[in-house]
Amino acid sequence: MEMNTFTPEDLQRKLYFLMEQLQQMAGQLPSKYQMRLPYELLSGLANCLLNDTIFEIVKGLMEIQHVTEKHLFQKRLQLIHQQQAEIQQAFSNIILDREKEIMKQTLFRRHKEEMKQLDLELVRQLDQKVTDQQSILEKAGVPGFYVTSNPMDIQVQMRLCDFIIRLSKMDIPYS
């Protein structure tokens, strides 16, 4: 059903329902988050969610994030397996214990640095994904979303996404 086929009363009931649910969800959060979710923000979010497109955007972003996280995890596992294979290969050719110890130290240092570099790259990619998501939701007009690297603001935005996802699973009147 198109949004414009709803009566004003239908939209009002849907808005009240969304607002009530958002207030309940916000009320269950620790106070440090509740303080950052004023009535005006929740009201703006409820109004924004009258358009079901926002639910679809958030679901799509969540799916993309899960695929990205799985891909990055596989990338990390691949490096671990490569390093294990390298250790086995290196040790298979060494007979003297002293040489094994030197090789072990050398490989350990190099592998640690490789893992650190990969982890930094993975974090950079995840940070970029967060920035992309913030930008998309801001452009879609979702209240509370803007590009930021502030950890508390990101936590609040994560709570808002959780609210949207939870609402998308509910039987919302007149959706």
Side-chain angles (χ1 to χ4, degrees):
M1 216 188 253
E2 290 293 317
M3 192 168 113
N4 57 10
T5 63
F6 295 124
T7 67
E9 293 80 19
D10 291 343
L11 290 176
Q12 193 65 43
R13 276 191 288 274
K14 183 176 179 179
L15 182 62
Y16 284 152
F17 175 83
L18 290 169
M19 192 60 199
E20 180 184 328
Q21 294 301 314
L22 287 169
Q23 285 179 309
Q24 284 179 9
M25 291 176 193
Q28 295 168 351
L29 295 176
S31 61
K32 67 180 180 178
Y33 299 119
Q34 286 182 29
M35 295 177 349
R36 294 176 163 266
L37 296 171
Y39 179 86
E40 296 76 26
L41 175 60
L42 296 177
S43 177
L45 183 57
N47 272 293
C48 181
L49 294 176
L50 288 174
N51 179 349
D52 290 337
T53 304
I54 300 304
F55 289 117
E56 297 307 314
I57 290 171
V58 171
K59 282 184 196 174
L61 290 174
M62 187 176 74
E63 289 169 12
I64 291 167
Q65 182 173 338
H66 288 156
V67 168
T68 301
E69 288 171 355
K70 187 175 181 180
H71 170 74
L72 296 179
F73 179 72
Q74 290 301 322
K75 215 170 163 177
R76 193 171 197 281
L77 280 181
Q78 184 179 7
L79 179 60
I80 290 170
H81 291 307
Q82 285 174 341
Q83 290 177 343
Q84 289 172 341
E86 184 179 15
I87 289 169
Q88 287 178 345
Q89 176 65 35
F91 281 8
S92 68
N93 299 328
I94 298 176
I95 298 168
L96 300 174
D97 286 342
R98 179 75 182 124
E99 287 177 336
K100 283 183 182 179
E101 190 57 38
I102 293 169
M103 179 62 74
K104 187 170 130 182
Q105 295 293 330
T106 304
L107 288 176
F108 176 76
R109 280 193 295 276
R110 195 177 88 234
H111 289 173
K112 186 176 177 182
E113 185 57 32
E114 286 174 352
M115 190 60 70
K116 179 180 171 186
Q117 291 303 316
L118 178 65
D119 287 345
L120 288 172
E121 174 61 20
L122 299 182
V123 168
R124 190 198 63 70
Q125 288 181 36
L126 289 171
D127 286 346
Q128 183 58 52
K129 189 63 60 189
V130 168
T131 300
D132 294 347
Q133 292 170 346
Q134 291 169 335
S135 178
I136 289 167
L137 292 170
E138 180 181 30
K139 287 175 184 167
V142 182
F145 285 90
Y146 47 92
V147 176
T148 179
S149 59
N150 179 303
M152 178 55 90
D153 292 344
I154 292 172
Q155 285 294 318
V156 170
Q157 291 177 348
M158 288 170 60
R159 297 315 189 273
L160 292 173
C161 278
D162 177 59
F163 292 173
I164 295 168
I165 291 164
R166 287 165 52 193
L167 284 169
S168 74
K169 295 175 183 174
M170 289 184 181
D171 189 19
I172 299 175
Y174 309 103
S175 286

